Amino acid sequence: SEKLYTASPGLVNGLQARTFGVWTLLSSVIRCLCAIDIRNRTLYYTTLFTFFLALVHFLSEVFIYHTAALTIGVMAPLMVASFSILGMLIGLQYLEVEALSQNKKKN
């Protein structure tokens, strides 16, 4: 929390930092599970949603709540979330094409 919420560090307490840590851990577990089973649509969409949540969270902290400044500590997760969303949206097209080709093979 010390590297992220630099604009208003007094507004962040230990409980919020621990909650953010648990949220980050949960997101990473979901993302690892998706990497293991990339063809699971529900898991794929859930993983994509975690990146959207991260992007919205960090953008809101910078531009709405003004608790974070655009430092490297905030820019890094913003870039990871943005590029991951882009990559997953591109990958979603291949997931759809693969599902269609499997359906054709069954018929």
Side-chain angles (χ1 to χ4, degrees), residues 60-82:
S60 67
E61 293 298 330
V62 172
F63 296 110
I64 296 173
Y65 302 113
H66 305 290
T67 55
L70 283 176
T71 61
I72 191 66
V74 174
M75 290 300 292
L78 283 174
M79 289 181 355
V80 167
S82 300

Side-chain angles (χ1 to χ4, degrees), residues 23-40 42-44 46-48 50-51 84 88:
W23 173 67
T24 303
L25 180 63
L26 178 61
S27 294
S28 65
V29 168
I30 291 170
R31 293 167 187 170
C32 287
L33 290 173
C34 183
I36 293 169
D37 187 11
I38 195 85
R39 291 179 179 89
N40 184 333
T42 304
L43 196 52
Y44 196 90
T46 304
T47 304
L48 182 59
T50 66
F51 285 115
S84 297
M88 288 194 76

Side-chain angles (χ1 to χ4, degrees), residues 44 48 80-94:
Y44 196 90
L48 182 59
V80 167
S82 300
F83 290 133
S84 297
I85 289 169
L86 181 64
M88 288 194 76
L89 289 175
I90 292 169
L92 186 61
Q93 295 174 358
Y94 292 104

